[in-house]
Amino acid sequence: MTSADASGFAAAKEGLKAISGRTQWINQQVGSGKLSLDPDAADKAAKRCEEEIDALGVLLQNAAALRTLKGLGNYPDGQQLAQRFQEKATGGQAGALELIRDMQEELKKQADAFRGAAKDYRATDEQNADDLRRGIQ
């Protein structure tokens, strides 16, 4: 059993891998010239990624509060429960905090990929306009 399985975040880790794969695909398509997006659409997609990053920031604050959970008493059961919450929050690479930060980073990469696609679109559009002005087609 991996630490992600032990902390209960195995599905979240798999979801993050899928998103990472999608980001890599976008970057590959942009890099090979197979994907260029209308700048407005790309900007909207990038802004949506940034909105999700902000929403994850709120979730990150809430998850961070689990590290200092109080009020469960001094009895062993209460202390064990508090410890389990702390482990869920900070469980190394499989804790909630790390997963949320990783997701924020992945969304930032995706926003950058969308902006890269828009940049390529603009460059192609400008090249075509230059070619038309020079009579090349």
Side-chain angles (χ1 to χ4, degrees):
M1 178 182 291
T2 68
S3 57
D5 294 334
S7 66
F9 293 117
K13 201 73 160 155
E14 287 302 312
L16 182 58
K17 284 181 188 176
I19 292 168
S20 178
R22 178 57 72 182
T23 302
Q24 290 174 0
W25 180 86
I26 292 168
N27 281 322
Q28 289 170 348
Q29 297 301 305
V30 170
S32 67
K34 295 179 182 178
L35 177 67
S36 62
L37 295 175
D38 173 73
D40 290 335
D43 189 50
K44 286 179 184 177
K47 285 182 180 179
R48 181 67 180 129
C49 289
E50 290 164 348
E51 289 170 3
E52 289 299 318
I53 291 169
D54 291 343
L56 285 169
V58 172
L59 185 60
L60 186 64
Q61 290 174 344
N62 292 337
L66 293 175
R67 291 184 298 188
T68 58
L69 188 64
K70 305 265 189 258
L72 296 176
N74 290 325
Y75 295 103
D77 289 345
Q79 291 175 349
Q80 286 175 346
L81 185 57
Q83 180 63 33
R84 288 184 66 199
F85 277 114
Q86 289 171 1
E87 289 170 4
K88 291 272 188 190
T90 61
Q93 293 184 1
L97 297 174
E98 187 66 27
L99 286 171
I100 293 167
R101 286 186 197 109
D102 289 349
M103 182 61 153
Q104 286 177 312
E105 183 60 31
E106 197 58 46
L107 287 169
K108 184 184 179 322
K109 290 176 188 175
Q110 211 166 74
D112 292 344
F114 286 129
R115 288 201 171 95
K119 181 180 175 183
D120 284 356
Y121 182 94
R122 285 185 190 103
T124 301
D125 197 37
E126 289 173 17
Q127 181 64 48
N128 290 340
D130 288 346
D131 290 347
L132 285 174
R133 280 191 287 272
R134 286 183 279 153
I136 301 172
Q137 186 55 325

